[in-house]
Each structure stands twice: as structure tokens, then as C-alpha cells.
Amino acid sequence: MRPPTTELSPTQRSAALAHRDGFRDAPTKPANLAAMTHFDLETDVLVVGYGCAGAAAAFEAASTGAQVLVLDKAGGPGGASALSGGEIYLGGGTPVQQACGFDDSPEQMAAFLRAALGPGADAQKITLYSADSVEHFHWLADRGVPFKPSLWDTPTWVPPTDDGLMWLGENSWPFTELATPAPRGHRPTAQDFGGKLLMDVLVSAAESAGVTARFDTVATNLIVAEDGSVAGVRARRYGQEFTVRAHRGVVLTTGGFVDNEQMLAAHAPRLLGHTKVSAGADDGSGIRMAQTIGAAVRHMSTGQVGLSLIPGFAARGLVVNGRGQRFVTEDTYPGRIGQAALFRQDLDIWVILDEQAYEDVPEPQRWGVQPTHVAETAGELGDLLGLPPGALAATLARYNEFASRGADPDFHKAPRWLRPLTPPLAAIDIKAGVRPPGQTTARRGTGASVFTLGGLHTTVDGEVRHLDGHSIPGLYAAGRASAGLHGEGYISGTSLGDGTYFGRRAGRAAARHA
Amino acid sequence: MRPPTTELSPTQRSAALAHRDGFRDAPTKPANLAAMTHFDLETDVLVVGYGCAGAAAAFEAASTGAQVLVLDKAGGPGGASALSGGEIYLGGGTPVQQACGFDDSPEQMAAFLRAALGPGADAQKITLYSADSVEHFHWLADRGVPFKPSLWDTPTWVPPTDDGLMWLGENSWPFTELATPAPRGHRPTAQDFGGKLLMDVLVSAAESAGVTARFDTVATNLIVAEDGSVAGVRARRYGQEFTVRAHRGVVLTTGGFVDNEQMLAAHAPRLLGHTKVSAGADDGSGIRMAQTIGAAVRHMSTGQVGLSLIPGFAARGLVVNGRGQRFVTEDTYPGRIGQAALFRQDLDIWVILDEQAYEDVPEPQRWGVQPTHVAETAGELGDLLGLPPGALAATLARYNEFASRGADPDFHKAPRWLRPLTPPLAAIDIKAGVRPPGQTTARRGTGASVFTLGGLHTTVDGEVRHLDGHSIPGLYAAGRASAGLHGEGYISGTSLGDGTYFGRRAGRAAARHA
């Protein structure tokens, strides 16, 4: 969950300007290499987009000795990564996990990810990502990303502390039955949101490795040779067009398409109308440029769904649908609740709690959220919410009976969170939004903040696959411009995680390409 | 719901042969017109695929005087259309509706379709389809499709009679609140499945209009001119390659992609592993050929889900999920139950009934389905099914209380179907399958039969849209090779309905094209 922003950041302002520059309507069709008489710029590896995947790709390519240029639409690097919470999904026995007393293995990590990111997750990528996760931890640490070896132990979107490790659903049902639980959410040492710190470190590392960048620059078309290989891009900066020859490869790290309403309508209509989690530039341009030369995509209908739902309330209370039924394990990773709420319950949900549940959540973790409805009995509360008669009372009676026995056979909430709820009772309408620390008003909306997970179909080395199955020579992608690890499911940390990991692999592969 | 077939039809045998011929692995990349020195065949309009959309397109193009050639992979015409139940979604006041005493209007029809086929349904197509629906009825009738003016009045997949009109969810909640109910499922007069009759009529009409066809023929590549327009196809028959020049246009009516497991894995992983509803040739070849020249697609994740669930049992009983909860209005169009079961409940569902519910369904409508579990009480039945303790008993007690009062505030099942269920109780596992009349054994599986709804993005005239938004000159599509009317939802009759209606429009548009 991101805090509402009342002012545009420099990155956002720049993206807004780029919008006015018309990049949404830019032609995406390929330009023909044979028709080019000269190039304005030349490089070995060209990276389009300077978020986490672009920075990782650029660093690794430059580290092999290749000349690397990065283009970004915004006025500086960072993209959506810099606005994120900073969680990176890592495991298999990292030093942080070990310091916190957790055993883990690549096999258990992969088993969890296959279940949490599916159906349709990329099993081959998950196996490799899990096997290399400790190495990837050290790569991040060696670049200068700090991880404090301490655990935040309760369900949350982002810990309100600088703890470096958190659970992302591994200790919740059904995953407890599928893999040995270990917390794998690693986050840079930062109060609140760590994405900015992560990007500062990665961009600094890239610059030190010799990477150069051009900002306020929109890549509009791929330049393609007669044999189908990608040779560079056409781009535009403040209305001026220019060409870039990439002798070894082009890496698309342009992000997803949550800012492109036409693409949402065509592929992911359920994501329309909610708050967009992006820096304003996730317009799918990289995906479309590649598609015009026959690139394949995967899972374009899928998305992350962040809710203005306080996980501490949910874990201590109930989450019910419009029929007053429970439908999800309340103490799981809250993004999992979000996907279930939007894709399975049409966002028709309520959080139910009693006074103690409210009081048990420390004030800073409440984010200013207060009950929207209060009543003396479950029956009255259900009536207030417009639920079918008696439905909430029946659900609560059943839950309370289980809670008093310390076991929840319906949704297997952990015993730690089971306690009978006693009247008076309260409900929270997620549409009422949150009031982050330091702000005086909540932001109303649908209660959901979304971004897309689908994108280009890539090999484990970031090669973009053609519809025919072969890799398109000279074209690479990583981050949310690709589908990455993901099938339909999502876990925080897999975006920055697969963005940096497969970004690195794409950068190295592009630098190797003849 | 299709009956299991124990022997391959000639169409299926031919498709199986075509598989061996390797069409799945055929290159889909466009061929260059400029490189062609001659063409083996020439025509004005080339239609690829001889199902309902292809037949309608071919007839209409030929009726304008254009020369029309149809290619099909199979040994004869028909495709998946010929294996279907034959329902065609028509309304707005057709003679059959009027004869059965129903008022209807294009506006009410469109309001229902927007709700039933969404989110993401094509509102512009729905408006046009509804406005022209009476005309389209007459077009079908004039070709020779017989519709008996009598109503089958209970929920079913396919009426066991020759009644020409049926409900497809219009009289079930929530649609009763969104549009004035009128039955719009029109079916050719046939005992059981009417798809074969429909295709016989349409193919006969096309032949009479001068359409010629080549069977056992796989279109492998589009032939594209320098300006991006489509000029014909390369094709293969029994291993021999040849070229076809289409002077006015190519119409792709190649069907969906349920037979292509790679495409399912990339776009619709939840549809993997179930019975495929096709004639064996829905390999997505037309969609992929068009995509390689930049064609846009829509809603590739969506699908129809037919269950081996007897609607008469469901309407008279309960449908519950793995927590023993109801989740859908049981007397709705059963395909809607199917989508809810697969996409929202992971197919973890049970049908619950009592003896009277079973006996009230006439024997021929039971399709040989028998209870898989029987118990003296709801508690015992829930235990047998592995449901959480007490869950089924609580659900049944709640339902029985509502039923005794004649109103269902949870899911608004119509009063007609509300009756308290009394022990002993029975459950049906949909995975046990059905035993169609005349067969002695049921076919086990997942209990679901699926086909894809997503496909090429087309205009109302069947023009295939490029990713950039413009129409690709000379390229048309209709039927399940296009997304047609559909967003995420589906109603029987909208496949044959939009296939024939937009097939006609595509055929006329192609014939007009210079």
C-alpha cells in the first residue's frame, strides 16, 4: 500500500510532461535498419527504462566492459521501483534469514513460489531464481543495499520499522502445508518505504560501472534488421527525434501497462478504475514495440491488488464478502487477500473486528483507519452493511466457536490470531481509504491500488521470445515489461526480486550477444 | 455439455491427421508479397476455416458477386460449430419470442449482454448485435434454419426436446434486476444437438451462392504486401505447399486455441487439463498468424466452462464450495455456474440434493448422473465430503429456513425452485462425469469442458486491428478467432451468434475491399 501523494515528485512531473509529449500515441511499428543512413548515438547495449530491472541490466552489462546507454521517459532514474516499499523476495538461506534463526533451502523457496505465483507461474525461472537467491542477496549487499538482520513478525504491507526481514504469506495456510515456512521478504534498511534507497544504490552502482543515461527520452520504435534482429531504437526527447544503434542488444525494462487504459480494457478489465501503482509511465510501450515484431506475451490479465486494508485488523478480525461469508485466510500476505477480493469477490468485502482487535493494533500501524460502521450485535452490524439477514451473525458464531477452541478448520488462520470477537462490533469499508502518518485526511476511492503482472515472454536470460518460439536476436526484457516469474499470483518482493535478478541476466546476455 | 464421444467423427479424424502433418509447428511468420512470382490459386475473398463464422462470411461475400474460396484443415466443413448444441443468442422481439408470448427489445437484450458477458465486453458490438438481432434471425430462417416456436422452461445445457427457445440466465439473479427477462436462446429444431443441422444449412447456402472449398488444407502464413496489407496465404495440403492470392481480403475464422496447450499455458492456465470442446483443430493458428503482423488481441485469459453438472439438480438443490458455502445462484445459466466454479472456486464444488430433488428431474434429463455420496444427515454428508465440521449443516439449515419462507436473500434463487431439503441427503461429485443416453458408462475427468473466448481484436466489420489501433488492410476475422462480443463472461449462443452475425459483416466488408 502506497501512501497517497498530494504533490507530484520530479519523476512524476517529468512523466506527466512526457504524456503531453504524446508518447502514448507514438507509433510502435518497427523501423527498418536498411533504411537508416546514420545513427545519432551508438552503444553496445541500450537499456530502455531506468527502474530496478534497467539499473541491474545496465550495471551487469557495463561490468563486462560493454558500453551501456540507458533511456528513460522521466527526468531521472527510479521509475515505479523508487516509489515501492522496497521488498525483495530472497531466500534459500540468506545471512539475514540465518541471523534471524531461520533455516531455508532453494527447494522450499521454489515450492512456495510455485504455489503463491500460480497458476501459470514460470517453473523454470522459479527454480533458477531460488537456486541463485543467496548469490543475488550478496550481489545486492555488495552494491550497497543494507539489510538489517531483524524480523518484523506480523502481517503487514510494509513494516513501520527498519526491520530487514518479513513474512509474505509463507507462514499462512495453505502454504504451511506446501513448503516449510521461512520469511523471505527482505527489505533495505529504511523507515517505511525502501524503494528509493534501493534505486539510489543501484543507479549509483551503474554510474560507477560507466553507464550513461538520457532522461526525458521516449523510445518510440525498435529498429530491426532484415534478418529480424533488433539493432536499436528510434527515440524522442522534447519533440526532437533521434536514433540509437545498439551493436549488441536492446533491453526493454519499460515497466507494465497499468497507465494504459486501452491495454487494461483489452486484457485486464478488472484492473480499470482503481488507483494505479506506477510513476505514471507504465504505458506498455515496450511491450507493444516488441509485439509489433511478433514478440509473445504471457498472463496479460493478471495484476497485483493492494487494498486499503490494515493487515493487523484483518488478522485479528474477519474479512467477509457481500454475503457475510469468509473467503480467505485473514492472516496471509495482504496482497493475496487483495487478489481474492477483486478477482473472486468483485471487491464487495468488509473487515469485521471488535474493540480489542482494534486496540491490539499499535496506533502507528493503523494508518489512521477507523471503523466506518459500529453496532451492538452482529445482526445489527450485518443489517447496517446491507448483508443478507443473519449472515454475519452466523459467520461470527461459527468463527467464535472455532476461535475458542484454538483451531480454524474453515480457513486455517494461525492459532495466534484466533480469539472470539465480542460485541460491540465494528466494520471497516476499505473504500474509506487510509490516512497515512502525517496526513490529516484519508483518500477515498475503490480501496484498491493495482499494477499489472503480465508482459513479454522471456527466456531465463531475458531473451524475448517470438510467437514462433525462437528468441528474437538482440532483444531482451526484464521487470514488469516481462511476465517474469509470475502466473496469476503475486507476492510482494517478486517484482523488485525478479526485476533485479532477471535484469542482471538480461544485461549479461545482451553484452555477450555478437 | 457435449456427450462424450467414443469414436472420432470424420472431421475429427481429419483434424488428427492434420496434427500429424505438423500444423502446430508450422511457421506463422508472414510471407512477403514482393517475393512471390506466381500464385497457385486466386480468388477475391479467401476464408480460412469453415465453421459457422466462415460459412456466414463466405455466403455473404459470394452473395455480393465476389469469388470466394474457403480452406479448412478438416476433411469437410463444420468445425467446432457442428459439434455444438446449436444455440444462437437472438432477441429484441423475434417471431419465436413473440409466438411464445415474450416482449423483448434491443435495449433490454443489450443490457443483459453487457452484464452477462462482462467485465470487458465490447459495448459497441453488443449494441449493434442487439439492434440487428431480429434481422439476423430472419437471415438464418431464410437460409433454412428451422426454429420451433415453443419454450423449454427450465435451466439446462441443451433441451432434450425440439423446443426452439430457452432461457440462458435472463430470468435469474442478478440479471432480473438489470434487464427485463426474456428468453433468447434460439435453437434449430433438432432433437438434442443442433449444431450439425445449423452447419448443414449454412454450408448448403454458401455452396448455392457459389462458394468453393478446399479441405485437409492448413493455412500456414499470411502473405503481406509492402504497405502492410494482407494479400493472401500460404497453405499446405498433404505436405504439398501452395499459395493463394486474395484480391479483396482474407477472413480468418479459424476458431480459438483450446487445442494449443502452449497458448493456454501462456494466457489461460486455468483452462489446462480439462476436456476440450473443439473438433480438434482450435490450435490458435489464425490468431498467431495475425499476431505476427502486429494484430492486437483481447481477453485471452477467458473461457467457457461447461460442467458435468445437471442444471435440474442444481436448481432444485444446492451448489456448495469446499468450505460448504453457497457461491452462486443455482438456477442460473449453468455455464455461469461453471465459470464461477473454475475461476473462483478452483472447481472444488459439490451439488447437494435430497431424494425429491433427484426424483423431480425427469429421467432423460438426468443424463445417467447419480449421487456419489449419500448420508442420513447434513453433518454426516459434510464429513463424507471432507468439508469443515458443521459447515454443510449450517448452510443447509440457513437455506431451508429461507426456502420455507419462499425467498432466498443470499443468492436470490427463484421461488419456483425453493423447497427445504430433507434427509437423507446426497451429493454429486461433478468429476464423476455424465452418462449420456445410449451409453453405459460415464466419462470421468475434471468435470469441466472448456473452450477459449479470447482472440483477435476486430472492428464491428471484422477488420483486424493492429496494436497501433488502425485496421490491417485486407485482414478480417470472426468467430472464436476473435474476441467478438465477449469480455470475461459467457452465455451459450453468443458463439454461434456472434460468429454468424460478425462473420456476415466480415464477409461483406472483405468483398467490398478494393
Side-chain angles (χ1 to χ4, degrees):
Chain A
M1 194 166 55
R2 294 166 52 218
T5 50
T6 50
E7 291 187 14
L8 289 180
S9 69
T11 300
Q12 289 170 318
R13 265 197 302 278
S14 181
L17 285 173
H19 279 267
R20 285 216 303 269
D21 198 20
F23 72 74
R24 277 169 196 281
D25 307 318
T28 58
K29 279 191 168 176
N32 190 346
L33 177 66
M36 300 276 156
T37 52
H38 90 293
F39 290 92
D40 299 298
L41 294 171
E42 304 209 8
T43 186
D44 291 330
V45 174
L46 177 69
V47 177
V48 186
Y50 213 160
C52 75
F59 173 85
E60 291 283 269
S63 297
T64 69
Q67 189 185 0
V68 181
L69 172 66
V70 187
L71 308 181
D72 199 284
K73 284 167 183 164
S81 303
L83 299 176
S84 76
E87 300 94 338
I88 306 171
Y89 203 82
L90 298 166
T94 68
V96 169
Q97 288 181 307
Q98 290 177 346
C100 293
F102 291 97
D103 282 333
D104 195 12
S105 71
E107 292 71 27
Q108 293 303 315
M109 178 177 173
F112 172 78
L113 286 175
R114 281 193 300 269
L117 304 186
D122 188 321
Q124 189 187 6
K125 282 184 181 162
I126 285 176
T127 299
L128 199 61
Y129 179 77
S130 302
D132 289 350
S133 193
V134 172
E135 184 277 335
H136 191 50
F137 173 91
H138 286 295
W139 181 84
L140 290 160
D142 290 349
R143 300 287 80 68
V145 182
F147 296 104
K148 186 178 162 197
S150 59
L151 176 72
W152 176 262
D153 196 31
T154 62
T156 186
W157 295 103
V158 180
T161 62
D162 62 357
D163 291 318
L165 191 62
M166 64 187 288
W167 295 97
L168 290 171
E170 302 91 340
N171 59 347
S172 72
W173 186 83
F175 306 115
T176 43
E177 297 182 1
L178 304 172
T180 307
R184 301 192 188 92
H186 287 63
R187 51 192 294 265
T189 308
Q191 289 290 344
D192 206 13
F193 286 72
K196 177 72 166 57
L197 185 150
L198 172 70
M199 284 310 303
D200 286 348
V201 169
L202 293 181
V203 169
S204 171
E207 287 174 352
S208 300
V211 170
T212 58
R214 293 221 164 182
F215 299 105
D216 301 309
T217 300
V218 181
T220 55
N221 315 73
L222 296 174
I223 297 172
V224 179
E226 189 64 33
D227 65 0
S229 64
V230 172
V233 305
R234 297 178 78 136
R236 191 172 64 233
R237 184 167 191 267
Y238 297 135
Q240 187 181 351
E241 301 218 339
F242 63 97
T243 53
V244 187
R245 178 75 164 98
H247 292 288
R248 299 195 191 170
V250 172
V251 186
L252 297 171
T253 53
T254 45
F257 58 95
V258 76
D259 292 309
N260 185 317
E261 302 222 335
Q262 282 192 335
M263 288 179 76
L264 289 183
H267 306 298
R270 288 189 187 273
L271 301 184
L272 280 167
H274 308 291
T275 301
K276 301 170 188 305
V277 177
S278 79
D282 284 347
D283 65 341
S285 59
I287 296 171
R288 284 179 294 134
M289 279 195 290
Q291 282 187 295
T292 58
I293 62 169
V297 294
R298 284 166 66 87
H299 305 312
M300 295 287 278
S301 63
T302 60
Q304 146 75 354
V305 183
L307 298 183
S308 64
L309 165 146
I310 303 302
F313 292 153
R316 291 172 176 86
L318 295 179
V319 182
V320 300
N321 65 19
R323 268 87 56 211
Q325 301 168 319
R326 294 174 72 202
F327 62 93
V328 70
T329 304
E330 290 94 346
D331 62 339
T332 192
Y333 165 63
R336 192 168 171 81
I337 302 177
Q339 285 197 325
L342 180 61
F343 295 123
R344 297 186 169 211
Q345 305 294 339
D346 305 313
L347 220 52
D348 183 15
I349 70 157
W350 301 94
V351 180
I352 308 295
L353 62 170
D354 65 2
E355 202 164 324
Q356 184 180 336
Y358 188 79
E359 297 295 339
D360 280 353
V361 177
E363 199 279 335
Q365 295 171 44
R366 294 179 203 156
W367 283 64
V369 168
Q370 296 190 331
T372 52
H373 302 73
V374 181
E376 290 300 318
T377 67
E380 288 173 27
L381 185 61
D383 291 346
L384 267 183
L385 305 182
L387 303 180
L392 184 60
T395 297
L396 191 73
R398 182 172 170 82
Y399 174 79
N400 280 352
E401 187 188 326
F402 291 142
S404 67
R405 290 192 236 146
D408 170 22
D410 282 343
F411 289 95
H412 306 276
K413 197 200 277 190
R416 170 182 180 184
W417 304 109
L418 289 173
R419 181 185 58 77
L421 302 180
T422 57
L425 297 168
I428 299 171
D429 180 357
I430 63 157
K431 291 187 286 297
V434 297
R435 177 172 58 77
Q439 304 213 9
T440 53
T441 54
R443 183 184 53 178
R444 293 189 68 93
T446 65
S449 306
V450 301
F451 59 87
T452 59
L453 299 177
L456 295 167
H457 188 174
T458 52
T459 68
V460 295
D461 287 315
E463 300 160 349
V464 175
R465 296 185 70 170
H466 191 273
L467 289 157
D468 280 345
H470 72 265
S471 294
I472 297 173
L475 188 64
Y476 303 82
R480 282 296 63 77
S482 79
L485 301 169
H486 301 89
E488 290 185 11
Y490 184 72
I491 291 296
S492 259
T494 53
S495 271
L496 299 179
D498 92 346
T500 51
Y501 175 75
F502 291 105
R504 291 175 62 198
R505 295 185 69 97
R508 290 200 298 266
R512 276 198 307 267
H513 184 62
Chain B
M1 193 166 56
R2 294 165 50 219
T5 49
T6 50
E7 290 188 15
L8 289 181
S9 69
T11 300
Q12 289 169 319
R13 264 199 302 278
S14 181
L17 285 174
H19 279 266
R20 284 218 304 271
D21 199 19
F23 72 76
R24 278 169 196 281
D25 306 318
T28 58
K29 280 191 168 175
N32 190 345
L33 178 66
M36 301 274 158
T37 52
H38 90 292
F39 291 91
D40 298 299
L41 295 170
E42 305 210 8
T43 186
D44 291 328
V45 174
L46 177 68
V47 177
V48 186
Y50 213 159
C52 75
F59 173 86
E60 291 283 271
S63 297
T64 70
Q67 188 185 3
V68 181
L69 173 66
V70 187
L71 307 181
D72 199 285
K73 283 167 183 162
S81 302
L83 299 177
S84 75
E87 300 94 337
I88 306 171
Y89 204 81
L90 298 166
T94 67
V96 170
Q97 288 181 308
Q98 291 176 344
C100 294
F102 292 97
D103 281 332
D104 195 13
S105 72
E107 292 72 26
Q108 293 303 317
M109 179 178 173
F112 172 78
L113 286 175
R114 282 193 298 270
L117 304 186
D122 189 320
Q124 188 187 5
K125 282 185 183 163
I126 286 175
T127 300
L128 198 62
Y129 179 77
S130 302
D132 289 350
S133 192
V134 171
E135 185 277 335
H136 192 50
F137 172 91
H138 287 295
W139 181 85
L140 288 161
D142 289 349
R143 299 289 79 70
V145 182
F147 296 105
K148 185 179 162 194
S150 59
L151 176 72
W152 176 260
D153 196 32
T154 61
T156 186
W157 295 103
V158 180
T161 62
D162 62 358
D163 290 318
L165 191 62
M166 63 187 287
W167 295 96
L168 291 171
E170 302 92 341
N171 59 347
S172 71
W173 187 83
F175 305 114
T176 42
E177 297 182 2
L178 303 173
T180 306
R184 301 191 188 92
H186 287 62
R187 51 192 293 267
T189 307
Q191 288 292 341
D192 206 14
F193 287 71
K196 177 71 165 59
L197 185 151
L198 173 70
M199 285 309 304
D200 286 348
V201 169
L202 293 181
V203 169
S204 171
E207 287 174 353
S208 299
V211 171
T212 58
R214 291 218 167 186
F215 298 105
D216 301 309
T217 300
V218 181
T220 55
N221 316 73
L222 296 174
I223 297 171
V224 179
E226 190 64 31
D227 66 359
S229 65
V230 171
V233 306
R234 297 176 75 135
R236 192 173 62 234
R237 185 167 191 267
Y238 297 133
Q240 187 180 351
E241 301 218 339
F242 64 96
T243 54
V244 186
R245 178 76 165 98
H247 292 287
R248 299 195 191 172
V250 172
V251 186
L252 297 171
T253 52
T254 44
F257 58 93
V258 75
D259 291 309
N260 185 317
E261 302 224 333
Q262 283 192 336
M263 289 179 77
L264 289 182
H267 306 298
R270 286 188 187 273
L271 301 185
L272 280 167
H274 307 292
T275 301
K276 301 170 189 306
V277 178
S278 80
D282 283 349
D283 65 341
S285 59
I287 296 171
R288 285 180 292 134
M289 279 194 290
Q291 282 188 295
T292 59
I293 62 169
V297 294
R298 285 166 67 87
H299 306 312
M300 295 286 277
S301 63
T302 59
Q304 146 75 353
V305 183
L307 297 183
S308 64
L309 166 148
I310 303 303
F313 291 152
R316 291 172 175 85
L318 295 178
V319 182
V320 300
N321 64 20
R323 269 88 54 211
Q325 300 168 319
R326 294 174 72 199
F327 63 93
V328 69
T329 304
E330 290 94 347
D331 62 338
T332 191
Y333 165 62
R336 191 165 171 84
I337 302 178
Q339 284 196 326
L342 180 60
F343 296 123
R344 297 185 170 213
Q345 305 294 340
D346 306 314
L347 220 50
D348 183 16
I349 70 157
W350 300 95
V351 179
I352 309 294
L353 63 168
D354 66 1
E355 202 165 325
Q356 185 180 335
Y358 188 80
E359 297 295 339
D360 280 353
V361 177
E363 199 279 334
Q365 295 172 45
R366 294 180 203 157
W367 283 63
V369 168
Q370 296 190 332
T372 53
H373 303 72
V374 182
E376 289 301 319
T377 68
E380 286 173 30
L381 184 61
D383 292 346
L384 266 184
L385 305 181
L387 303 180
L392 185 60
T395 296
L396 190 74
R398 183 172 171 82
Y399 173 79
N400 279 353
E401 188 188 327
F402 291 142
S404 67
R405 290 193 237 145
D408 169 23
D410 284 342
F411 289 94
H412 307 275
K413 195 199 277 190
R416 169 180 181 187
W417 304 110
L418 289 171
R419 181 185 57 77
L421 302 180
T422 56
L425 297 169
I428 299 171
D429 180 357
I430 61 158
K431 290 186 287 297
V434 297
R435 177 173 59 79
Q439 304 213 7
T440 52
T441 55
R443 183 183 53 179
R444 292 190 70 88
T446 65
S449 306
V450 300
F451 59 86
T452 61
L453 298 177
L456 295 167
H457 189 173
T458 52
T459 69
V460 295
D461 287 313
E463 299 161 349
V464 175
R465 296 186 69 169
H466 191 272
L467 288 158
D468 280 345
H470 71 263
S471 294
I472 298 173
L475 188 64
Y476 304 82
R480 283 296 60 77
S482 80
L485 302 168
H486 301 90
E488 291 185 8
Y490 183 74
I491 291 294
S492 259
T494 54
S495 271
L496 299 179
D498 91 346
T500 49
Y501 176 75
F502 291 105
R504 290 175 62 199
R505 294 184 70 96
R508 291 200 297 264
R512 276 197 307 267
H513 183 62

